[in-house]
Amino acid sequence: MDQVLGQVLRNAVWERLDMLSDLATRADAQSLVSVARSELPRLTEGWRAMLQAHEPDERGDCPTCSTRWHRCKAPCSVWQVAHEHLVAGGLAPQQTAATQDRRRRVPGQSRVSAAETTGRHALVDPRRPITA
């Protein structure tokens, strides 16, 4: 049940991001200003909450990314992605679709469940050939 709920939550987030991207590229100026006023504060608060969870501890480790057996030194990948997208912007190297797909996969997940093979943003096994 947790996997199904997790997939539902992930799909909802991906679809929301898709909708915002579509609005950014297709909306008229007045609609774009309206969306920006309502969504930008929500997006910045979301980034702040996520980054706060990844603030380094007194040893310089990310408490969220670290495990008992493996310490993750700051800046962790979350901070690196934040810098790449929020600060470096156009200066950052462009990602390929394969790189973006790898980031969408859940770390440590090696098998794809039946619940994750449906929906627009379903996780797919990259080793499995795509058949249409």
Side-chain angles (χ1 to χ4, degrees), residues 6-73:
Q7 187 62 42
V8 168
L9 294 176
R10 285 189 299 276
N11 283 348
V13 170
W14 288 123
E15 288 174 14
R16 180 69 172 196
L17 291 172
D18 287 343
M19 185 266 306
L20 291 172
S21 292
D22 288 345
L23 279 172
T25 58
R26 298 179 186 180
D28 61 90
Q30 186 177 2
S31 299
L32 194 53
V33 168
S34 177
V35 169
R37 284 190 177 136
S38 66
E39 295 298 323
L40 279 175
R42 290 171 44 143
L43 290 171
T44 56
E45 282 305 309
W47 271 104
R48 284 186 177 109
M50 184 170 44
L51 292 172
Q52 192 168 18
H54 291 269
E55 275 290 315
D57 61 18
E58 62 280 349
R59 293 182 306 255
D61 297 331
C62 173
T64 305
C65 295
S66 295
T67 66
R68 180 183 297 188
W69 300 277
H70 179 265
R71 306 308 299 170
C72 179
K73 285 290 182 196

